Amino acid sequence: MIGLPSDTRVWIAAGHTDMRKGFDGLAALVQTALAANPHSGRVFVFRRRRGDIIKVLWSDGQGSLLLAKRLEKGRFVWPQATSGSVSLTPAQLSMLLEGIDWRMTARTWQPEMVP
C-alpha cells in the first residue's frame, strides 16, 4: 500500500458501486452521492455488489490514483448502510485492503498454509 499522510481522512462509500467506473465516474460519484471534493486529499473507497472487488480513489495534489483490488476468496467487510459514507482511519483502511474485518480485526477468510 502506498503510504498515506497520517492525517489523511478515509471515506467508505456505503452501498455498492458499478466497478466499470474509472477516475471521472468515481470522482463524479464522490461529488454527487457524498457531497465531497474528490481532489481534497481524502481517500474514497468503493465496493462492488458481490463484495469481492474494491476501488480506492485518492488525489495527492499532483494527480489522482485509482487502486483496484479483488479478493480471490472471502469478501471485503462493508457497513450495513445503503447510502452516505463511513469514516475510517488509515490503519482501518490497511486492514480492509488485507481482507480483515476492520471492525473486529479478524480475517474474513483464513489462507491455507502450503507445505
Side-chain angles (χ1 to χ4, degrees):
M1 176 70 190
I2 295 170
L4 298 173
S6 61
D7 61 342
T8 301
R9 299 293 308 255
V10 179
W11 295 96
I12 286 182
H16 59 272
T17 303
D18 180 355
M19 287 293 116
R20 294 175 292 183
K21 293 182 185 293
F23 286 101
D24 296 333
L26 293 174
L29 189 60
V30 168
Q31 290 176 325
T32 58
L34 305 179
N37 179 358
H39 306 291
S40 63
R42 295 177 182 161
V43 174
F44 300 95
V45 187
F46 307 89
R47 187 182 85 151
R48 179 180 172 173
R49 181 184 299 266
R50 286 194 324 208
D52 62 335
I53 296 177
I54 61 171
K55 285 190 176 181
V56 179
L57 180 67
W58 178 44
S59 181
D60 65 358
Q62 295 179 339
S64 295
L65 172 112
L66 183 60
L67 169 77
K69 182 165 184 177
R70 180 181 66 195
L71 290 178
E72 296 299 322
K73 294 188 179 181
R75 63 184 185 87
F76 294 103
V77 175
W78 217 245
Q80 296 296 323
T82 57
S83 64
S85 61
V86 174
S87 178
L88 296 181
T89 66
Q92 288 172 316
L93 174 62
S94 293
M95 288 186 280
L96 173 68
L97 290 172
E98 289 297 322
I100 299 170
D101 186 342
W102 50 271
R103 300 167 303 177
M104 300 183 305
T105 64
R107 288 193 180 272
T108 59
W109 172 76
Q110 184 63 37
E112 294 179 22
M113 300 304 261
V114 178

